[in-house]
Amino acid sequence: MNRIHIVSNRLPVSINVENDHIELVPSVGGLATGMRSVYKEYNGKWIGWPGLPSDDLNEELQSNIDEKLIEEDCVSVHLSKEEIDLYYDGFSNRTIWPLFHYFAQYIDYSPELWDAFVSVNQKFADKALETLEEGDTIWIHDYQLLLVPEMIKSQKPGVTVGFFLHIPFPSFEVFRILPWRKELIQGMLGADLIGFHTFDYQRHFFSCVRRLMGYEISFNEIHIEDRIVIVDSFPMGIDYDKFRDAAIQTFQKPLQEKSKLHRELEKYFLVSPNRKLILSIDRLDYSKGIPNRLQAFAKFLEEYPEFIGKVTLIMLAVPSRGTVEHYINLKREVDELVGNVNGRFGSINYTPVWYFYRSLPFENLIELYSSCDVALVTPVRDGMNLVAKEYVASRTNRTGVIILSEMAGVSKEMGEALMINPNNTGEIAQSIYQALTMPLEEQRERMIYLQDRIKRYDVFKWSSEFVKSLRKVEKLQSSIYAKKVNTSILEKIKTEYANSQKRSIFLDYDGTLTGFKKNPNDAKPDEELHKILYQLEEDPKNVITIISGRDRESLENWFDGHKINLIVEHGVWIKKYNKEWKMLANANDTWKPSIRPILETFVDRTPGSFIEEKNYSLVWHFRKSEPEQGELRANELKDELTTMIANHNLEILEGNKVIEVKSGGINKGMASLQFLQNQNFDFILALGDDWTDEYMFRELPDTAITIKVGLKHTAARYKVDSVSKVRSLLSNLE
Ligand code: ADQ
């Protein structure tokens, strides 16, 4: 089994150094838990920053730390204070984080942050490359390392690269704001598999890829020059059993073993048995909607004064990114709001908000999860939000209500929660009331479904699903490579060619002999192509046919003077060398007046698109249109046409950025077969790049050498990845 390595900004351990004594403390976060099982099981290494600035460590200490870490299969990337400041606090948390969470007003565009981001990503990639061997697999995590996939792929193409983004991926309109948008997308596309928490993020990513890079996307595959990138959603889970078991144990502990917090909570319930507790837990981050939550809680107390003195909001905020200006301001805002709510609604024996600005041990978290009646989770944007899942897992008696922001990725999996818009304080206040008054039976009904789902798709399932997909994508890439014309296949073709007496060579034109141009009339043959064809024609054993969907005029003009045959309009017409045009198939064009107006409405609605009229077909081109709109309209057009042509002998062909309607039963397969009739060729070669060429690949005899240009699934025997490879193959035949 191939090794799987992990790369993330932080290693799954923290380091304590006291009097040169090094202690490693494993971290308990969700990512560390999920990934530990992966890299241990697959004999990999975990590459990341150990958490201490390298300026604080002398060389000896650094190498001692490295040694200690390697015992845990961890490889350290040492970062200086300046690098942490510019790459981590800087570009990661002052540029990408606000951008991806739709806080455009907070984005820092300083180029020096970007430069540091590139160089630190390169540092991670270099460390990974030292560890990686061809055939290994690597799984890279999160927004701090968006450029690493490409940096690895370009150096070691044989490594399978996975990338998972833990935060949202924003819509194109937001993403485009960034000056380095293309570079980020390119960086990510170095991966073979890209994972997001939800389908929405995946959709946004596709639209950015389409618009910024112009790559073709079919289903969840992105076709880039010589590879396929698979994109999928994998909603991250938690270690469900750990939370559930800990919650069970908490209640079974004898009083003297209970934590101070737990004893205080119990005392509190003893004094006020009808008190209700609402829990709020997050890192102190502006994406988490903490001020909105406090305002909504105040509104709730204002609108339902009967709850004053009876409900307490326990608000835990883990200090986070305290050096970044917006976080400092947020801290001040939250402090003031808490003071304000407590001042307005509190009394000597009632504090409405208990606010803890610190990280709490796991044991305390569990006590709070299992003791609070309601969890208030109201981020304004959140990639997933594990707190909501942890609350569900800790509810061993199956009661409790979650109020959940529809802007959190987790909302897609928690239909049974009370869903709110985090900017609508009135709605949140109303939901708090609904949650506090919800009958126990209803709470249980909702909780059972939630627990079932969150338990099934836990963090281990999440990571194993991702690994499974990595394995699949690895196979897919190798099947693509298997058909690729390599030196030995090329030698085989050359030998067959040399040993034959009468050869038929079918060549598609656009996308095969020449690249695509925005305007089809600009794609005329260049000098190099003319030379290659002249050379082939010189050999009397060769019969060369250009077989294309184009009309008669341009090809006839362009290849005037060549000793070749032309088959055009997908097989309607043929012009043998030195002969006149002849119809190969019975076609008619009486259908055109009813189809043309439909295409015209699509031209009107899709700027940049146009109609090309051939003798027996009509073609709608959208290469010049805005890519996403073009694809969208193409699907719409196909849909409309399919119903229209139901009772006519017509066909819809989908080519490269074109939709063509033509008389039925005519295609390159039929045309090439007809051409071969009654002739005894002992060598047949056919090259083509798109869908319409597949007819030819399927119909030609099994002995034919059929070659697809591009990577898509094909009936052809072989593949080459570009026009220039086609040209070099043809010039190599002798
Ligand atoms: P975060 O933004 O950190 O993660 P979240 O998913 O909620 O958000 O995870 C927070 C974690 O911190 C939870 O496991 C929670 O138990 C813990 N925690 C919170 N408050 C704590 C406290 N006071 N003391 C101790 N522990 C505390 C990012 C993305 C999320 C995404 C995760 C995972 O922003 O959207 O869900 O990664 O992909």
Side-chain angles (χ1 to χ4, degrees):
M1 185 64 82
N2 299 350
R3 299 191 301 166
I4 300 182
H5 311 279
I6 309 294
V7 193
S8 66
N9 175 55
R10 280 296 306 272
L11 284 172
V13 286
S14 300
I15 294 170
N16 287 336
V17 182
E18 243 172 74
N19 301 330
D20 284 350
H21 174 74
I22 301 162
E23 191 198 3
L24 300 187
V25 186
S27 89
V28 290
L31 179 65
T33 314
M35 287 302 99
R36 206 170 275 131
S37 57
V38 173
Y39 87 106
K40 293 273 185 204
E41 185 181 339
Y42 294 99
N43 291 323
K45 300 268 183 284
W46 190 318
I47 297 138
W49 178 47
L52 294 172
S54 56
D55 328 40
D56 296 349
L57 312 167
N58 59 38
E59 240 173 66
E60 193 191 341
L61 194 54
Q62 250 187 53
S63 82
N64 289 346
I65 289 178
D66 290 354
E67 262 173 42
K68 192 105 185 162
L69 282 170
I70 207 72
E71 286 169 20
E72 292 300 314
D73 291 316
C74 289
V75 176
S76 49
V77 181
H78 288 291
L79 301 177
S80 69
K81 279 190 184 126
E82 192 189 1
E83 283 172 326
I84 296 158
D85 182 37
L86 297 174
Y87 139 83
Y88 181 70
D89 292 331
F91 198 78
S92 301
N93 289 333
R94 286 211 296 268
T95 310
I96 302 182
W97 181 273
L99 175 75
F100 282 35
H101 286 86
Y102 296 74
F103 279 80
Q105 70 279 25
Y106 288 178
I107 300 172
D108 188 337
Y109 295 100
S110 316
E112 64 268 24
L113 301 188
W114 166 251
D115 293 342
F117 187 73
V118 176
S119 71
V120 174
N121 268 248
Q122 190 63 57
K123 229 172 157 169
F124 276 85
D126 290 344
K127 255 295 177 249
L129 285 163
E130 282 172 23
T131 313
L132 283 166
E133 285 164 21
E134 292 283 338
D136 281 359
T137 296
I138 192 157
W139 181 355
I140 302 158
H141 287 268
D142 228 0
Y143 64 102
Q144 303 92 350
L145 303 177
L146 288 169
L147 304 177
V148 176
E150 166 63 18
M151 288 169 170
I152 291 182
K153 198 61 165 188
S154 57
Q155 293 304 306
K156 289 215 165 119
V159 165
T160 304
V161 181
F163 179 82
F164 189 84
L165 186 72
H166 289 262
I167 64 174
F169 195 90
S171 82
F172 174 66
E173 281 308 317
V174 171
F175 188 71
R176 72 187 309 175
I177 301 174
L178 191 73
W180 307 279
R181 57 205 184 175
K182 244 183 151 165
E183 287 85 342
L184 290 190
I185 295 281
Q186 229 153 3
M188 291 172 80
L189 287 176
D192 300 285
L193 172 68
I194 300 177
F196 296 100
H197 283 304
T198 72
F199 178 68
D200 279 343
Y201 308 152
Q202 187 181 334
R203 210 163 44 80
H204 293 155
F205 179 70
F206 280 149
S207 94
C208 290
V209 169
R210 227 179 256 126
R211 286 168 187 237
L212 293 169
M213 317 299 291
Y215 292 138
E216 209 178 304
I217 296 169
S218 69
F219 299 106
N220 64 344
E221 296 177 354
I222 302 174
H223 296 256
I224 49 183
E225 298 197 339
D226 56 351
R227 297 190 305 121
I228 283 178
V229 179
I230 304 283
V231 182
D232 215 335
S233 50
F234 303 85
M236 186 176 172
I238 56 164
D239 185 350
Y240 188 94
D241 293 347
K242 179 177 150 191
F243 281 85
R244 187 206 46 207
D245 296 348
I248 293 172
Q249 275 170 19
T250 298
F251 288 106
Q252 286 170 348
K253 273 187 196 161
L255 189 68
Q256 63 277 16
E257 277 179 32
K258 289 189 173 171
S259 73
K260 191 164 160 253
L261 176 83
H262 202 172
R263 286 204 297 267
E264 271 171 23
L265 280 173
E266 290 200 346
K267 211 159 54 189
Y268 176 74
F269 282 120
L270 218 59
V271 181
S272 353
N274 296 323
R275 281 280 168 92
K276 298 270 185 194
L277 296 180
I278 301 175
L279 181 63
S280 140
I281 298 193
D282 323 79
R283 272 186 313 102
L284 191 73
D285 194 292
Y286 49 77
S287 65
K288 303 288 183 182
I290 299 171
N292 309 16
R293 202 173 304 171
L294 283 163
Q295 277 152 1
F297 183 60
K299 197 171 177 67
F300 161 74
L301 293 177
E302 202 177 274
E303 286 182 7
Y304 301 95
E306 65 274 26
F307 281 92
I308 295 176
K310 298 198 177 109
V311 183
T312 299
L313 171 64
I314 303 183
M315 209 173 82
L316 251 80
V318 191
S320 180
R321 303 172 194 170
T323 54
V324 180
E325 181 201 351
H326 301 296
Y327 288 76
I328 300 169
N329 295 341
L330 175 69
K331 161 92 175 50
R332 195 175 312 126
E333 187 186 357
V334 170
D335 287 351
E336 280 169 16
L337 273 167
V338 170
N340 187 299
V341 179
N342 283 343
R344 267 178 77 195
F345 301 99
S347 58
I348 291 184
N349 45 18
Y350 174 56
T351 310
V353 184
W354 294 354
Y355 175 42
F356 302 88
Y357 176 60
R358 58 172 182 261
S359 179
L360 285 189
F362 177 69
E363 184 191 15
N364 291 161
L365 276 187
I366 296 293
E367 286 157 357
L368 288 170
Y369 282 141
S370 44
S371 315
C372 291
D373 308 274
V374 177
L376 192 51
V377 184
T378 63
V380 281
R381 285 285 160 188
D382 211 338
M384 169 54 71
N385 193 293
L386 300 179
V387 167
K389 293 189 173 182
E390 293 169 2
Y391 179 72
V392 167
S394 311
R395 304 300 302 174
T396 49
N397 65 0
R398 302 196 139 168
T399 61
V401 184
I402 303 191
I403 298 172
L404 184 58
S405 162
E406 63 190 44
M407 309 295 178
V410 72
S411 65
K412 307 279 182 271
E413 293 168 84
M414 287 201 169
E416 295 78 8
L418 300 183
M419 221 56 87
I420 49 97
N421 174 341
N423 301 307
N424 188 341
T425 40
E427 191 183 26
I428 304 176
Q430 176 60 41
S431 300
I432 294 177
Y433 177 76
Q434 192 188 343
L436 290 173
T437 54
M438 188 183 283
L440 284 180
E441 206 29 55
E442 184 180 346
Q443 293 184 24
R444 284 203 186 96
E445 264 169 37
R446 290 172 186 254
M447 193 54 84
I448 286 170
Y449 283 110
L450 286 170
Q451 291 191 334
D452 223 39
R453 206 172 302 127
I454 306 301
K455 182 174 163 48
R456 223 172 333 142
Y457 205 93
D458 65 3
V459 70
F460 305 107
K461 177 86 176 154
W462 169 76
S463 56
S464 72
E465 287 293 309
F466 193 89
V467 169
K468 237 195 262 168
S469 299
L470 271 171
R471 295 300 188 215
K472 255 197 243 159
V473 87
E474 197 179 321
K475 273 207 196 111
L476 179 74
Q477 306 289 30
S478 55
S479 76
I480 290 167
Y481 288 118
K483 279 195 168 189
K484 253 184 161 177
V485 174
N486 54 22
T487 341
S488 78
I489 296 175
L490 184 63
E491 282 313 310
K492 203 173 123 206
I493 296 173
K494 281 170 75 176
T495 317
E496 274 189 47
Y497 180 89
N499 294 338
S500 54
Q501 297 309 312
K502 193 174 175 194
R503 313 174 188 123
S504 175
I505 300 175
F506 292 106
L507 302 168
D508 166 53
Y509 185 68
D510 296 274
T512 302
L513 292 179
T514 188
F516 287 100
K517 294 280 168 2
K518 286 218 159 143
N519 187 340
N521 292 328
D522 294 340
K524 62 174 185 218
D526 51 42
E527 270 316 297
E528 184 191 57
L529 179 58
H530 280 303
K531 236 173 92 189
I532 294 170
L533 291 175
Y534 283 132
Q535 188 191 317
L536 282 172
E537 293 156 26
E538 253 173 39
D539 188 333
K541 293 177 184 163
N542 289 346
V543 177
I544 297 162
T545 307
I546 294 206
I547 182 161
S548 159
R550 279 190 178 255
D551 62 15
R552 296 187 290 185
E553 285 71 24
S554 25
L555 288 181
E556 189 173 1
N557 284 336
W558 290 346
F559 292 101
D560 190 27
H562 279 276
K563 243 188 267 166
I564 56 176
N565 311 306
L566 299 173
I567 294 179
V568 299
E569 293 195 27
H570 304 286
V572 176
W573 298 97
I574 181 164
K575 183 181 184 313
K576 291 200 172 161
Y577 172 58
N578 257 344
K579 300 256 169 63
E580 289 309 306
W581 284 106
K582 240 179 69 187
M583 244 179 157
L584 249 186
N586 266 337
N588 78 66
D589 65 354
T590 51
W591 49 271
K592 277 185 178 172
S594 50
I595 297 290
R596 195 182 296 106
I598 301 177
L599 298 190
E600 279 162 358
T601 61
F602 275 77
V603 170
D604 294 340
R605 291 167 59 214
T606 321
S609 72
F610 60 93
I611 298 172
E612 180 191 3
E613 179 149 0
K614 301 184 193 169
N615 289 325
Y616 294 98
S617 73
L618 288 172
V619 193
W620 181 68
H621 287 257
F622 61 97
R623 178 166 301 280
K624 284 201 269 186
S625 317
E626 206 252 308
E628 193 158 75
Q629 190 185 30
E631 295 285 347
L632 203 78
R633 292 272 194 267
N635 287 336
E636 238 179 89
L637 176 61
K638 265 188 294 179
D639 198 41
E640 222 166 284
L641 288 173
T642 312
T643 354
M644 284 283 302
I645 65 167
N647 298 321
H648 300 86
N649 186 20
L650 291 178
E651 263 176 28
I652 305 169
L653 290 185
E654 196 181 355
N656 203 316
K657 311 280 183 210
V658 298
I659 300 280
E660 177 156 5
V661 190
K662 63 174 199 53
S663 300
I666 299 165
N667 59 54
K668 290 185 181 179
M670 180 275 314
S672 53
L673 275 191
Q674 222 166 313
F675 181 86
L676 294 175
Q677 252 173 23
N678 304 327
Q679 304 202 52
N680 45 349
F681 290 106
D682 58 354
F683 176 94
I684 301 167
L685 172 67
L687 282 136
D689 74 305
D690 77 14
W691 206 82
T692 62
D693 300 303
E694 292 294 320
Y695 284 108
M696 180 163 71
F697 299 148
R698 275 197 294 267
E699 298 288 334
L700 287 173
D702 290 345
T703 49
I705 295 167
T706 49
I707 304 177
K708 161 106 176 165
V709 187
L711 290 169
K712 284 198 196 138
H713 292 298
T714 177
R717 276 166 73 185
Y718 306 115
K719 293 178 185 179
V720 290
D721 48 28
S722 62
V723 168
S724 65
K725 292 272 165 57
V726 172
R727 290 185 175 195
S728 95
L729 183 139
L730 292 176
S731 13
N732 259 301
L733 296 175
E734 51 195 16

